[in-house]
Amino acid sequence: MQVRPHRRELIGPFVERIRTLPESRALFHLTGPDDYLVHVAVADTADLQRLVLDEFTSRREVARVETRLIFQQWECGPLLPPSGPAAAPGPSQASGPE
């Protein structure tokens, strides 16, 4: 989603409104050509169209909306590598012939 003009006095109310929508699952502020990504949960494509038209493009600061459908999601490993005693040995902890 692109927001224009990208000014603080418009962004605050925009973010708060999107966060209060029951369909909103997560809101991300992005770099690049799009300003925001809104992860939503809707019943069907008609409900998605209603949400886009009634809640997103009806706002004066929303310049462009693009939708994507998620077909499937997989969970991946931990975000950060493990740390502490169970972590993989470092150079000083390596075992093997000397």
Side-chain angles (χ1 to χ4, degrees), residues 1 18 25-31 34-39:
M1 185 177 310
I18 298 303
R25 310 311 312 146
L27 175 63
F28 302 91
H29 193 189
L30 309 173
T31 64
D34 292 322
D35 300 310
Y36 291 91
L37 180 134
V38 184
H39 184 188

Side-chain angles (χ1 to χ4, degrees), residues 1-30 35-40 55-56 59-62:
M1 185 177 310
Q2 287 181 343
V3 176
R4 298 291 181 263
H6 202 113
R7 294 195 318 241
R8 191 173 301 277
E9 65 269 13
L10 294 175
I11 297 305
F14 166 79
V15 166
E16 289 311 309
R17 175 61 185 150
I18 298 303
R19 292 182 66 211
T20 64
L21 294 173
E23 298 89 351
S24 292
R25 310 311 312 146
L27 175 63
F28 302 91
H29 193 189
L30 309 173
D35 300 310
Y36 291 91
L37 180 134
V38 184
H39 184 188
V40 300
E55 297 294 345
F56 299 156
R59 298 189 61 90
R60 65 187 171 107
E61 67 273 23
V62 174

